[in-house]
Amino acid sequence: MQGMDRLLALQETDTAVARLRVRRDALVAKETIAAARGEADAAENALGELGLQLDELDRDQRRFEQEIDSLSQKEAAENKRMYDGSIVNTKELEALQHELANLQKRRSDREDELLALMEQREGKEAQAAQAETLNTGLRAALQTTSEAADEELVEVEADLERRAAQREGLVSNVDAELLELYEDLRTQKKGVAAVALVDGVCGGCHEQLSAMEVDKVKKTEGVRRCPHCRRILVL
């Protein structure tokens, strides 16, 4: 492998190392796990909120049932009075009839409210079932994500070690002055110092060099540089 080809291979290695380090930092910081845990926690909170709503509906249902039962008992008692012959006064009888009608109206209203509440509860139960399924799935996914992240971290660390050894071998075969220029440019050019010139296009800035510029680059002795971004060009 010629010197400039080694430099390009070194650049490819350094670029890979930079990406691996970013990924390693993300894995160490558990960013992916944090996102998965956030989704799982949100699902669990939603499930808890639905549980509280169902508890409230249960309390309302018991209250309506008790009120309906009380009204039914009162209605039965007044009906008994109506027909047991104990009331002979016309006004008292009219008042009793009015009270019975009122009791029946209140009981009917409560029964309608109870029916609506039971329908609402049925909908909440369906939502809670879906939320439970989602929560279970997300908790399982969180566990899987955590295990996968641990495995990936081991792989990334191993890859970094392999790349470090690869880099050491490449560096030892690059001219010292060229390597110094390369390292200086890497700090200035966001980690990309050496690029290939393909079909007259710089692999760093992606500018299309004119025919005159390409010809000048080809005729340059020593290190060839892009006339636009000043990165090292490898033909």
Side-chain angles (χ1 to χ4, degrees):
M1 184 183 293
Q2 297 178 357
M4 296 304 291
D5 290 334
R6 291 194 191 95
L7 189 68
L8 196 57
L10 176 60
Q11 177 65 77
E12 292 171 354
T13 298
D14 283 337
T15 299
V17 166
R19 289 172 180 165
L20 286 167
R21 285 175 177 168
V22 169
R23 183 55 183 161
R24 180 190 60 188
D25 291 346
L27 289 168
V28 170
K30 300 185 181 301
E31 293 175 0
T32 303
I33 297 173
R37 181 176 288 109
E39 291 182 4
D41 288 347
E44 187 170 336
N45 290 337
L47 179 60
E49 180 62 31
L50 285 168
L52 292 174
Q53 293 174 15
L54 283 170
D55 289 343
E56 185 177 354
L57 288 172
D58 284 341
R59 288 193 295 271
D60 289 342
Q61 181 174 339
R62 286 193 296 271
R63 179 169 57 81
F64 280 138
E65 288 172 344
Q66 290 169 359
E67 189 171 350
I68 289 169
D69 183 62
S70 177
L71 289 169
S72 295
Q73 291 180 28
K74 289 180 181 178
E75 186 180 343
E78 297 295 8
N79 261 318
K80 183 178 179 181
R81 288 181 60 212
M82 173 78 74
Y83 298 107
D84 65 3
S86 61
I87 300 176
V88 294
N89 184 286
T90 303
K91 288 185 177 181
E92 188 176 352
L93 186 61
E94 289 177 352
L96 180 58
Q97 290 173 333
H98 178 75
E99 177 62 17
L100 272 170
N102 183 52
L103 287 169
Q104 290 170 351
K105 175 68 166 60
R106 288 170 60 192
R107 176 175 56 79
S108 177
D109 289 344
R110 289 297 175 271
E111 288 172 343
D112 289 342
E113 290 173 345
L114 177 60
L115 180 60
L117 183 145
M118 293 174 70
E119 290 176 350
Q120 183 181 358
R121 192 183 193 287
E122 185 177 347
K124 290 294 182 183
E125 285 178 336
Q127 291 179 31
Q130 293 176 349
E132 178 67 38
T133 300
L134 177 62
N135 181 56
T136 300
L138 287 174
R139 285 298 168 191
L142 173 59
Q143 180 65 28
T144 300
T145 299
S146 180
E147 292 172 356
D150 289 341
E151 293 175 1
E152 186 182 356
L153 181 57
V154 172
E155 294 174 359
V156 168
E157 293 286 8
D159 202 4
L160 276 169
E161 289 184 13
R162 183 177 64 82
R163 293 284 186 177
Q166 182 182 33
R167 187 182 199 280
E168 187 175 342
L170 290 168
V171 165
S172 64
N173 289 295
V174 176
D175 177 76
E177 290 186 7
L178 179 59
L179 183 61
E180 184 179 358
L181 173 62
Y182 168 81
E183 296 292 3
D184 286 343
L185 284 173
R186 275 219 308 149
T187 61
Q188 300 171 27
K189 303 294 183 180
K190 298 181 180 178
V192 180
V195 296
L197 181 66
V198 181
D199 297 328
V201 177
C202 171
C205 63
H206 307 294
E207 288 286 341
Q208 175 73 57
L209 276 64
S210 67
M212 185 179 296
E213 288 172 330
V214 171
D215 185 61
K216 184 178 180 180
V217 167
K218 288 181 177 179
K219 291 179 179 179
T220 298
E221 294 184 4
V223 180
R224 298 180 173 97
R225 308 278 294 275
C226 173
H228 301 282
C229 68
R230 302 304 295 161
R231 287 182 174 91
I232 300 169
L233 289 178
V234 180
L235 303 183

